[in-house]
Amino acid sequence: MAKTISNSAVNQRTSNAAHQRAIRLDYREMTRRLNGALGGTLVAALSGSKDTKASHKWAKENGPQPRPEAQRRLIFAYEQWQKVAEAEGEHVARVWFIGANPWLGYDTPVTAIREDRFKDVSVAAQALIDDTFSG
């Protein structure tokens, strides 16, 4: 008899794996990857920085370190990027990050991350992955 795994267990495992990969990654490398995927301006925006070049500075070897709240947002954004990009592809993930989202009251995930609405963003990402994205 084949053992069935609930969607909830699979989703939790995916979230845990994305989190583990994110926290093991140096923040400079994580920022470089997010910059490459979303662009520096969006990464700076989701981190809460008013400096549109901040994420490029953080990615440099001898650059400044982001403040703790920005680091939390970067880690979370990278986790969500991984989950959505792995499930739906990088193009869809990029559009998802910048598009109005019904699960977020039609805010973008970038805005919601900047506002520390992590649970809401996680639910919205999972809804896309589970194909329950109707809002």
Side-chain angles (χ1 to χ4, degrees), residues 60-122:
K60 289 184 179 178
E61 196 56 41
N62 294 318
Q65 185 170 344
R67 296 184 356 205
E69 60 272 12
Q71 287 183 27
R72 277 194 322 275
R73 293 176 187 132
L74 290 168
I75 290 168
F76 179 78
Y78 186 69
E79 289 173 26
Q80 301 315 301
W81 169 262
Q82 289 181 93
K83 286 178 11 181
V84 174
E86 286 173 8
E88 302 292 334
E90 290 188 5
H91 173 74
V92 171
R94 193 172 300 107
V95 171
W96 180 83
F97 263 84
I98 62 173
N101 190 301
W103 285 87
L104 300 171
Y106 292 93
D107 282 338
T108 68
V110 167
T111 298
I113 292 169
R114 183 177 57 237
E115 295 172 351
D116 297 325
R117 295 167 41 202
F118 296 162
K119 184 175 181 177
D120 295 340
V121 173
S122 182

Short mmCIF file of all heavy atoms in Angstrom, two decimals, residues 60-122:
data_model
loop_
_atom_site.label_atom_id
_atom_site.label_comp_id
_atom_site.label_asym_id
_atom_site.label_seq_id
_atom_site.Cartn_x
_atom_site.Cartn_y
_atom_site.Cartn_z
N LYS A 60 28.15 43.77 -2.45
CA LYS A 60 29.60 43.91 -2.66
C LYS A 60 30.36 43.27 -1.51
O LYS A 60 29.94 43.32 -0.35
CB LYS A 60 29.99 45.38 -2.78
CG LYS A 60 29.53 46.01 -4.06
CD LYS A 60 30.01 47.44 -4.18
CE LYS A 60 29.54 48.03 -5.49
NZ LYS A 60 29.95 49.42 -5.61
N GLU A 61 31.51 42.71 -1.85
CA GLU A 61 32.33 41.99 -0.86
C GLU A 61 32.63 42.82 0.38
O GLU A 61 32.55 42.33 1.49
CB GLU A 61 33.63 41.52 -1.52
CG GLU A 61 34.35 40.47 -0.72
CD GLU A 61 33.48 39.23 -0.42
OE1 GLU A 61 32.75 38.79 -1.32
OE2 GLU A 61 33.52 38.73 0.72
N ASN A 62 32.99 44.07 0.23
CA ASN A 62 33.31 44.91 1.38
C ASN A 62 32.25 45.97 1.62
O ASN A 62 32.52 46.99 2.25
CB ASN A 62 34.68 45.59 1.18
CG ASN A 62 35.80 44.56 1.17
OD1 ASN A 62 35.80 43.64 1.99
ND2 ASN A 62 36.74 44.71 0.25
N GLY A 63 31.04 45.70 1.14
CA GLY A 63 29.96 46.66 1.29
C GLY A 63 29.38 46.65 2.69
O GLY A 63 29.71 45.80 3.53
N PRO A 64 28.49 47.59 2.96
CA PRO A 64 27.85 47.65 4.29
C PRO A 64 26.90 46.47 4.48
O PRO A 64 26.46 45.84 3.53
CB PRO A 64 27.08 48.97 4.24
CG PRO A 64 26.80 49.18 2.78
CD PRO A 64 27.98 48.61 2.05
N GLN A 65 26.61 46.21 5.73
CA GLN A 65 25.67 45.15 6.07
C GLN A 65 24.28 45.76 6.24
O GLN A 65 24.15 46.84 6.82
CB GLN A 65 26.11 44.50 7.39
CG GLN A 65 25.29 43.32 7.78
CD GLN A 65 25.92 42.56 8.94
OE1 GLN A 65 27.08 42.74 9.25
NE2 GLN A 65 25.14 41.73 9.57
N PRO A 66 23.25 45.09 5.71
CA PRO A 66 21.89 45.62 5.92
C PRO A 66 21.50 45.59 7.40
O PRO A 66 22.00 44.75 8.16
CB PRO A 66 21.00 44.68 5.11
CG PRO A 66 21.84 43.58 4.64
CD PRO A 66 23.26 43.86 4.96
N ARG A 67 20.63 46.48 7.76
CA ARG A 67 20.13 46.48 9.15
C ARG A 67 19.37 45.18 9.42
O ARG A 67 18.91 44.52 8.49
CB ARG A 67 19.24 47.70 9.36
CG ARG A 67 20.04 48.98 9.21
CD ARG A 67 19.32 50.26 9.48
NE ARG A 67 17.91 50.18 9.79
CZ ARG A 67 17.06 51.17 9.60
NH1 ARG A 67 17.46 52.30 9.08
NH2 ARG A 67 15.80 51.04 9.92
N PRO A 68 19.22 44.82 10.70
CA PRO A 68 18.56 43.54 11.03
C PRO A 68 17.17 43.38 10.41
O PRO A 68 16.83 42.30 9.93
CB PRO A 68 18.50 43.55 12.56
CG PRO A 68 19.65 44.41 12.97
CD PRO A 68 19.76 45.47 11.90
N GLU A 69 16.36 44.43 10.40
CA GLU A 69 15.02 44.31 9.82
C GLU A 69 15.10 44.09 8.31
O GLU A 69 14.30 43.34 7.75
CB GLU A 69 14.12 45.49 10.18
CG GLU A 69 14.61 46.84 9.71
CD GLU A 69 15.55 47.54 10.69
OE1 GLU A 69 16.04 46.93 11.65
OE2 GLU A 69 15.80 48.74 10.47
N ALA A 70 16.06 44.70 7.66
CA ALA A 70 16.26 44.48 6.22
C ALA A 70 16.74 43.05 5.98
O ALA A 70 16.30 42.40 5.02
CB ALA A 70 17.25 45.48 5.65
N GLN A 71 17.61 42.55 6.83
CA GLN A 71 18.08 41.17 6.69
C GLN A 71 16.93 40.18 6.81
O GLN A 71 16.83 39.23 6.03
CB GLN A 71 19.15 40.85 7.74
CG GLN A 71 20.47 41.49 7.45
CD GLN A 71 21.53 41.11 8.46
OE1 GLN A 71 21.47 40.04 9.07
NE2 GLN A 71 22.50 41.98 8.66
N ARG A 72 16.04 40.40 7.77
CA ARG A 72 14.86 39.53 7.93
C ARG A 72 14.02 39.53 6.66
O ARG A 72 13.57 38.48 6.20
CB ARG A 72 13.99 39.99 9.10
CG ARG A 72 14.41 39.51 10.44
CD ARG A 72 13.34 39.71 11.52
NE ARG A 72 12.58 40.94 11.42
CZ ARG A 72 12.96 42.11 11.92
NH1 ARG A 72 14.10 42.23 12.54
NH2 ARG A 72 12.18 43.17 11.80
N ARG A 73 13.81 40.70 6.09
CA ARG A 73 13.01 40.81 4.87
C ARG A 73 13.70 40.14 3.69
O ARG A 73 13.05 39.49 2.87
CB ARG A 73 12.72 42.27 4.57
CG ARG A 73 11.81 42.91 5.59
CD ARG A 73 11.62 44.39 5.33
NE ARG A 73 10.89 45.00 6.42
CZ ARG A 73 11.25 46.13 7.02
NH1 ARG A 73 12.32 46.79 6.61
NH2 ARG A 73 10.53 46.60 8.01
N LEU A 74 15.01 40.29 3.60
CA LEU A 74 15.76 39.66 2.51
C LEU A 74 15.68 38.14 2.61
O LEU A 74 15.47 37.46 1.60
CB LEU A 74 17.22 40.12 2.53
CG LEU A 74 17.47 41.57 2.14
CD1 LEU A 74 18.91 41.96 2.48
CD2 LEU A 74 17.16 41.81 0.68
N ILE A 75 15.87 37.62 3.81
CA ILE A 75 15.79 36.16 4.00
C ILE A 75 14.40 35.66 3.62
O ILE A 75 14.25 34.70 2.88
CB ILE A 75 16.13 35.77 5.45
CG1 ILE A 75 17.62 35.99 5.71
CG2 ILE A 75 15.75 34.32 5.73
CD1 ILE A 75 18.01 35.89 7.19
N PHE A 76 13.38 36.34 4.11
CA PHE A 76 12.01 35.93 3.80
C PHE A 76 11.74 36.02 2.30
O PHE A 76 11.16 35.11 1.71
CB PHE A 76 11.01 36.77 4.59
CG PHE A 76 9.59 36.40 4.29
CD1 PHE A 76 9.03 35.27 4.87
CD2 PHE A 76 8.83 37.15 3.40
CE1 PHE A 76 7.72 34.90 4.56
CE2 PHE A 76 7.53 36.79 3.10
CZ PHE A 76 6.98 35.66 3.69
N ALA A 77 12.14 37.13 1.67
CA ALA A 77 11.91 37.30 0.24
C ALA A 77 12.62 36.21 -0.55
O ALA A 77 12.06 35.65 -1.50
CB ALA A 77 12.39 38.68 -0.21
N TYR A 78 13.82 35.85 -0.14
CA TYR A 78 14.57 34.81 -0.84
C TYR A 78 13.85 33.46 -0.70
O TYR A 78 13.76 32.70 -1.66
CB TYR A 78 16.00 34.74 -0.33
CG TYR A 78 16.85 33.79 -1.12
CD1 TYR A 78 17.21 34.08 -2.44
CD2 TYR A 78 17.28 32.60 -0.57
CE1 TYR A 78 17.98 33.20 -3.18
CE2 TYR A 78 18.06 31.71 -1.30
CZ TYR A 78 18.40 32.02 -2.61
OH TYR A 78 19.16 31.15 -3.35
N GLU A 79 13.34 33.18 0.47
CA GLU A 79 12.57 31.93 0.68
C GLU A 79 11.37 31.89 -0.27
O GLU A 79 11.12 30.86 -0.93
CB GLU A 79 12.03 31.85 2.11
CG GLU A 79 13.06 31.60 3.16
CD GLU A 79 12.44 31.70 4.56
OE1 GLU A 79 11.21 31.48 4.71
OE2 GLU A 79 13.18 32.01 5.49
N GLN A 80 10.63 32.98 -0.34
CA GLN A 80 9.45 33.01 -1.19
C GLN A 80 9.84 32.92 -2.67
O GLN A 80 9.17 32.26 -3.46
CB GLN A 80 8.62 34.27 -0.92
CG GLN A 80 8.15 34.41 0.52
CD GLN A 80 7.60 33.13 1.12
OE1 GLN A 80 6.64 32.55 0.61
NE2 GLN A 80 8.21 32.65 2.20
N TRP A 81 10.94 33.60 -3.03
CA TRP A 81 11.43 33.51 -4.40
C TRP A 81 11.70 32.06 -4.77
O TRP A 81 11.28 31.58 -5.82
CB TRP A 81 12.70 34.36 -4.58
CG TRP A 81 13.34 34.06 -5.90
CD1 TRP A 81 14.39 33.22 -6.13
CD2 TRP A 81 12.93 34.54 -7.18
NE1 TRP A 81 14.66 33.17 -7.48
CE2 TRP A 81 13.78 33.96 -8.14
CE3 TRP A 81 11.92 35.40 -7.61
CZ2 TRP A 81 13.65 34.23 -9.50
CZ3 TRP A 81 11.80 35.66 -8.95
CH2 TRP A 81 12.66 35.08 -9.89
N GLN A 82 12.43 31.35 -3.89
CA GLN A 82 12.76 29.96 -4.16
C GLN A 82 11.51 29.10 -4.33
O GLN A 82 11.42 28.32 -5.28
CB GLN A 82 13.60 29.37 -3.02
CG GLN A 82 15.00 29.90 -2.94
CD GLN A 82 15.69 29.22 -1.79
OE1 GLN A 82 16.34 28.20 -1.99
NE2 GLN A 82 15.52 29.75 -0.60
N LYS A 83 10.57 29.24 -3.41
CA LYS A 83 9.35 28.43 -3.47
C LYS A 83 8.59 28.66 -4.76
O LYS A 83 8.20 27.71 -5.44
CB LYS A 83 8.44 28.74 -2.26
CG LYS A 83 8.94 28.16 -0.97
CD LYS A 83 8.11 28.48 0.25
CE LYS A 83 6.78 29.09 0.12
NZ LYS A 83 6.10 29.38 1.37
N VAL A 84 8.36 29.92 -5.10
CA VAL A 84 7.56 30.23 -6.29
C VAL A 84 8.33 29.88 -7.57
O VAL A 84 7.78 29.27 -8.49
CB VAL A 84 7.10 31.70 -6.29
CG1 VAL A 84 6.39 32.06 -7.59
CG2 VAL A 84 6.18 31.97 -5.10
N ALA A 85 9.61 30.22 -7.63
CA ALA A 85 10.40 29.94 -8.83
C ALA A 85 10.55 28.44 -9.07
O ALA A 85 10.49 27.99 -10.22
CB ALA A 85 11.78 30.60 -8.73
N GLU A 86 10.72 27.67 -8.02
CA GLU A 86 10.85 26.21 -8.18
C GLU A 86 9.55 25.59 -8.68
O GLU A 86 9.55 24.68 -9.47
CB GLU A 86 11.28 25.56 -6.87
CG GLU A 86 12.73 25.80 -6.54
CD GLU A 86 13.13 25.29 -5.16
OE1 GLU A 86 12.31 24.59 -4.50
OE2 GLU A 86 14.25 25.58 -4.73
N ALA A 87 8.43 26.12 -8.20
CA ALA A 87 7.13 25.55 -8.56
C ALA A 87 6.62 26.07 -9.90
O ALA A 87 6.01 25.32 -10.67
CB ALA A 87 6.09 25.84 -7.47
N GLU A 88 6.86 27.34 -10.19
CA GLU A 88 6.22 27.99 -11.33
C GLU A 88 7.19 28.55 -12.37
O GLU A 88 6.75 29.00 -13.42
CB GLU A 88 5.32 29.13 -10.83
CG GLU A 88 4.24 28.69 -9.86
CD GLU A 88 3.19 27.81 -10.50
OE1 GLU A 88 2.97 27.90 -11.73
OE2 GLU A 88 2.58 27.01 -9.77
N GLY A 89 8.46 28.60 -12.06
CA GLY A 89 9.46 29.17 -12.97
C GLY A 89 9.80 30.60 -12.58
O GLY A 89 9.02 31.28 -11.92
N GLU A 90 10.96 31.04 -13.03
CA GLU A 90 11.45 32.37 -12.65
C GLU A 90 10.60 33.50 -13.22
O GLU A 90 10.40 34.51 -12.56
CB GLU A 90 12.91 32.53 -13.04
CG GLU A 90 13.82 31.67 -12.19
CD GLU A 90 15.29 31.95 -12.42
OE1 GLU A 90 15.63 32.89 -13.18
OE2 GLU A 90 16.11 31.23 -11.83
N HIS A 91 10.12 33.36 -14.45
CA HIS A 91 9.30 34.42 -15.03
C HIS A 91 8.03 34.65 -14.21
O HIS A 91 7.68 35.79 -13.88
CB HIS A 91 8.95 34.11 -16.49
CG HIS A 91 7.99 35.09 -17.08
ND1 HIS A 91 8.36 36.38 -17.43
CD2 HIS A 91 6.66 35.01 -17.32
CE1 HIS A 91 7.31 37.03 -17.87
NE2 HIS A 91 6.25 36.23 -17.82
N VAL A 92 7.36 33.57 -13.87
CA VAL A 92 6.13 33.68 -13.06
C VAL A 92 6.46 34.26 -11.69
O VAL A 92 5.74 35.11 -11.17
CB VAL A 92 5.42 32.31 -12.94
CG1 VAL A 92 4.28 32.37 -11.93
CG2 VAL A 92 4.91 31.86 -14.30
N ALA A 93 7.57 33.82 -11.10
CA ALA A 93 7.96 34.33 -9.79
C ALA A 93 8.19 35.84 -9.84
O ALA A 93 7.75 36.57 -8.95
CB ALA A 93 9.20 33.61 -9.29
N ARG A 94 8.87 36.32 -10.87
CA ARG A 94 9.14 37.75 -11.01
C ARG A 94 7.82 38.53 -11.13
O ARG A 94 7.62 39.53 -10.44
CB ARG A 94 10.02 37.98 -12.24
CG ARG A 94 10.62 39.35 -12.33
CD ARG A 94 11.62 39.47 -13.48
NE ARG A 94 12.74 38.55 -13.32
CZ ARG A 94 12.92 37.43 -14.05
NH1 ARG A 94 12.08 37.11 -15.00
NH2 ARG A 94 13.96 36.66 -13.85
N VAL A 95 6.92 38.03 -11.97
CA VAL A 95 5.62 38.69 -12.15
C VAL A 95 4.83 38.65 -10.84
O VAL A 95 4.17 39.63 -10.46
CB VAL A 95 4.84 38.06 -13.32
CG1 VAL A 95 3.41 38.57 -13.38
CG2 VAL A 95 5.56 38.30 -14.63
N TRP A 96 4.89 37.52 -10.14
CA TRP A 96 4.18 37.39 -8.88
C TRP A 96 4.65 38.43 -7.86
O TRP A 96 3.85 39.05 -7.17
CB TRP A 96 4.36 35.97 -8.32
CG TRP A 96 3.65 35.75 -7.04
CD1 TRP A 96 2.33 35.43 -6.87
CD2 TRP A 96 4.20 35.84 -5.71
NE1 TRP A 96 2.04 35.33 -5.53
CE2 TRP A 96 3.17 35.57 -4.81
CE3 TRP A 96 5.47 36.12 -5.23
CZ2 TRP A 96 3.38 35.58 -3.43
CZ3 TRP A 96 5.67 36.13 -3.85
CH2 TRP A 96 4.63 35.86 -2.97
N PHE A 97 5.95 38.66 -7.77
CA PHE A 97 6.49 39.61 -6.80
C PHE A 97 6.01 41.04 -7.06
O PHE A 97 5.85 41.80 -6.11
CB PHE A 97 8.02 39.58 -6.80
CG PHE A 97 8.61 38.72 -5.73
CD1 PHE A 97 8.75 37.36 -5.93
CD2 PHE A 97 9.04 39.26 -4.53
CE1 PHE A 97 9.29 36.55 -4.94
CE2 PHE A 97 9.58 38.46 -3.53
CZ PHE A 97 9.71 37.10 -3.74
N ILE A 98 5.80 41.40 -8.31
CA ILE A 98 5.48 42.80 -8.62
C ILE A 98 4.02 43.04 -8.97
O ILE A 98 3.60 44.19 -9.12
CB ILE A 98 6.38 43.34 -9.76
CG1 ILE A 98 6.16 42.56 -11.05
CG2 ILE A 98 7.83 43.34 -9.35
CD1 ILE A 98 6.89 43.13 -12.26
N GLY A 99 3.24 41.97 -9.07
CA GLY A 99 1.85 42.11 -9.47
C GLY A 99 0.89 42.29 -8.30
O GLY A 99 1.14 41.80 -7.19
N ALA A 100 -0.21 42.98 -8.55
CA ALA A 100 -1.27 43.11 -7.55
C ALA A 100 -1.78 41.71 -7.22
O ALA A 100 -2.03 40.91 -8.10
CB ALA A 100 -2.40 43.98 -8.08
N ASN A 101 -1.92 41.43 -5.94
CA ASN A 101 -2.24 40.09 -5.50
C ASN A 101 -3.53 40.08 -4.67
O ASN A 101 -3.60 40.75 -3.64
CB ASN A 101 -1.07 39.56 -4.66
CG ASN A 101 -1.19 38.10 -4.36
OD1 ASN A 101 -2.15 37.67 -3.76
ND2 ASN A 101 -0.17 37.34 -4.75
N PRO A 102 -4.53 39.32 -5.12
CA PRO A 102 -5.80 39.31 -4.38
C PRO A 102 -5.66 38.79 -2.95
O PRO A 102 -6.43 39.19 -2.07
CB PRO A 102 -6.70 38.41 -5.22
CG PRO A 102 -5.78 37.60 -6.07
CD PRO A 102 -4.56 38.43 -6.28
N TRP A 103 -4.71 37.92 -2.71
CA TRP A 103 -4.50 37.40 -1.36
C TRP A 103 -3.88 38.44 -0.44
O TRP A 103 -3.85 38.27 0.78
CB TRP A 103 -3.62 36.16 -1.40
CG TRP A 103 -4.33 34.96 -1.90
CD1 TRP A 103 -4.48 34.57 -3.20
CD2 TRP A 103 -5.04 34.00 -1.12
NE1 TRP A 103 -5.22 33.42 -3.27
CE2 TRP A 103 -5.58 33.05 -2.00
CE3 TRP A 103 -5.27 33.85 0.24
CZ2 TRP A 103 -6.33 31.97 -1.57
CZ3 TRP A 103 -6.00 32.77 0.67
CH2 TRP A 103 -6.54 31.84 -0.24
N LEU A 104 -3.39 39.54 -1.02
CA LEU A 104 -2.75 40.60 -0.23
C LEU A 104 -3.54 41.90 -0.32
O LEU A 104 -2.98 42.98 -0.19
CB LEU A 104 -1.31 40.82 -0.73
CG LEU A 104 -0.40 39.60 -0.63
CD1 LEU A 104 0.92 39.87 -1.36
CD2 LEU A 104 -0.17 39.22 0.82
N GLY A 105 -4.84 41.78 -0.55
CA GLY A 105 -5.68 42.97 -0.70
C GLY A 105 -5.25 43.81 -1.90
O GLY A 105 -5.36 45.02 -1.90
N TYR A 106 -4.75 43.13 -2.93
CA TYR A 106 -4.28 43.74 -4.17
C TYR A 106 -3.02 44.58 -4.01
O TYR A 106 -2.67 45.36 -4.88
CB TYR A 106 -5.40 44.47 -4.91
CG TYR A 106 -6.41 43.46 -5.43
CD1 TYR A 106 -7.52 43.13 -4.67
CD2 TYR A 106 -6.17 42.78 -6.61
CE1 TYR A 106 -8.41 42.16 -5.12
CE2 TYR A 106 -7.06 41.81 -7.06
CZ TYR A 106 -8.17 41.50 -6.30
OH TYR A 106 -9.05 40.53 -6.73
N ASP A 107 -2.31 44.42 -2.90
CA ASP A 107 -0.95 44.93 -2.78
C ASP A 107 -0.03 43.96 -3.50
O ASP A 107 -0.41 42.82 -3.77
CB ASP A 107 -0.51 45.02 -1.32
CG ASP A 107 -1.07 46.22 -0.60
OD1 ASP A 107 -1.46 47.20 -1.27
OD2 ASP A 107 -1.11 46.19 0.65
N THR A 108 1.19 44.39 -3.76
CA THR A 108 2.18 43.49 -4.33
C THR A 108 2.91 42.77 -3.21
O THR A 108 3.00 43.30 -2.08
CB THR A 108 3.22 44.25 -5.18
OG1 THR A 108 4.01 45.07 -4.31
CG2 THR A 108 2.55 45.09 -6.26
N PRO A 109 3.46 41.59 -3.47
CA PRO A 109 4.30 40.95 -2.46
C PRO A 109 5.48 41.83 -2.03
O PRO A 109 5.85 41.82 -0.85
CB PRO A 109 4.76 39.67 -3.16
CG PRO A 109 3.60 39.32 -4.04
CD PRO A 109 3.16 40.67 -4.58
N VAL A 110 6.05 42.61 -2.95
CA VAL A 110 7.14 43.52 -2.58
C VAL A 110 6.68 44.47 -1.48
O VAL A 110 7.36 44.64 -0.47
CB VAL A 110 7.65 44.30 -3.82
CG1 VAL A 110 8.55 45.46 -3.41
CG2 VAL A 110 8.39 43.37 -4.78
N THR A 111 5.51 45.07 -1.65
CA THR A 111 4.98 45.99 -0.64
C THR A 111 4.67 45.26 0.66
O THR A 111 5.02 45.74 1.75
CB THR A 111 3.69 46.67 -1.17
OG1 THR A 111 4.03 47.42 -2.33
CG2 THR A 111 3.06 47.57 -0.13
N ALA A 112 4.06 44.11 0.57
CA ALA A 112 3.70 43.36 1.78
C ALA A 112 4.93 42.91 2.55
O ALA A 112 4.93 42.93 3.79
CB ALA A 112 2.83 42.16 1.40
N ILE A 113 5.99 42.53 1.86
CA ILE A 113 7.23 42.15 2.55
C ILE A 113 7.81 43.36 3.25
O ILE A 113 8.23 43.28 4.40
CB ILE A 113 8.23 41.50 1.57
CG1 ILE A 113 7.71 40.14 1.10
CG2 ILE A 113 9.61 41.35 2.23
CD1 ILE A 113 8.49 39.53 -0.06
N ARG A 114 7.85 44.49 2.56
CA ARG A 114 8.37 45.72 3.17
C ARG A 114 7.59 46.08 4.44
O ARG A 114 8.13 46.60 5.40
CB ARG A 114 8.30 46.88 2.17
CG ARG A 114 8.88 48.16 2.71
CD ARG A 114 8.88 49.31 1.70
NE ARG A 114 7.54 49.59 1.22
CZ ARG A 114 7.20 49.57 -0.08
NH1 ARG A 114 8.08 49.28 -1.00
NH2 ARG A 114 5.97 49.85 -0.43
N GLU A 115 6.30 45.75 4.46
CA GLU A 115 5.44 46.03 5.61
C GLU A 115 5.44 44.90 6.64
O GLU A 115 4.63 44.91 7.58
CB GLU A 115 4.01 46.29 5.13
CG GLU A 115 3.89 47.54 4.28
CD GLU A 115 2.52 47.69 3.63
OE1 GLU A 115 1.69 46.75 3.68
OE2 GLU A 115 2.29 48.78 3.05
N ASP A 116 6.33 43.92 6.47
CA ASP A 116 6.48 42.78 7.40
C ASP A 116 5.22 41.92 7.51
O ASP A 116 4.95 41.33 8.55
CB ASP A 116 6.90 43.26 8.80
CG ASP A 116 8.26 43.92 8.79
OD1 ASP A 116 9.14 43.48 8.01
OD2 ASP A 116 8.46 44.88 9.57
N ARG A 117 4.48 41.79 6.43
CA ARG A 117 3.28 40.96 6.39
C ARG A 117 3.66 39.56 5.90
O ARG A 117 3.14 39.05 4.92
CB ARG A 117 2.22 41.62 5.51
CG ARG A 117 1.74 42.94 6.10
CD ARG A 117 0.94 43.79 5.15
NE ARG A 117 0.01 43.05 4.33
CZ ARG A 117 -0.47 43.52 3.19
NH1 ARG A 117 -0.10 44.70 2.72
NH2 ARG A 117 -1.30 42.80 2.47
N PHE A 118 4.61 38.95 6.61
CA PHE A 118 5.21 37.71 6.16
C PHE A 118 4.20 36.56 6.06
O PHE A 118 4.22 35.81 5.09
CB PHE A 118 6.35 37.29 7.08
CG PHE A 118 7.53 38.24 7.09
CD1 PHE A 118 8.44 38.20 8.11
CD2 PHE A 118 7.72 39.18 6.08
CE1 PHE A 118 9.53 39.04 8.12
CE2 PHE A 118 8.81 40.03 6.08
CZ PHE A 118 9.71 39.96 7.12
N LYS A 119 3.33 36.43 7.04
CA LYS A 119 2.36 35.34 6.99
C LYS A 119 1.44 35.49 5.78
O LYS A 119 1.18 34.51 5.07
CB LYS A 119 1.54 35.28 8.28
CG LYS A 119 0.59 34.11 8.31
CD LYS A 119 -0.12 33.98 9.63
CE LYS A 119 -1.02 32.76 9.57
NZ LYS A 119 -1.70 32.52 10.82
N ASP A 120 0.97 36.70 5.52
CA ASP A 120 0.09 36.94 4.37
C ASP A 120 0.80 36.60 3.06
O ASP A 120 0.22 35.98 2.17
CB ASP A 120 -0.35 38.40 4.32
CG ASP A 120 -1.23 38.81 5.49
OD1 ASP A 120 -1.82 37.92 6.14
OD2 ASP A 120 -1.33 40.03 5.74
N VAL A 121 2.07 36.99 2.95
CA VAL A 121 2.83 36.73 1.73
C VAL A 121 3.05 35.23 1.56
O VAL A 121 2.92 34.69 0.47
CB VAL A 121 4.17 37.49 1.73
CG1 VAL A 121 5.04 37.08 0.54
CG2 VAL A 121 3.94 38.99 1.74
N SER A 122 3.35 34.56 2.65
CA SER A 122 3.56 33.11 2.59
C SER A 122 2.30 32.40 2.13
O SER A 122 2.34 31.48 1.31
CB SER A 122 4.00 32.60 3.96
OG SER A 122 4.26 31.22 3.91
#
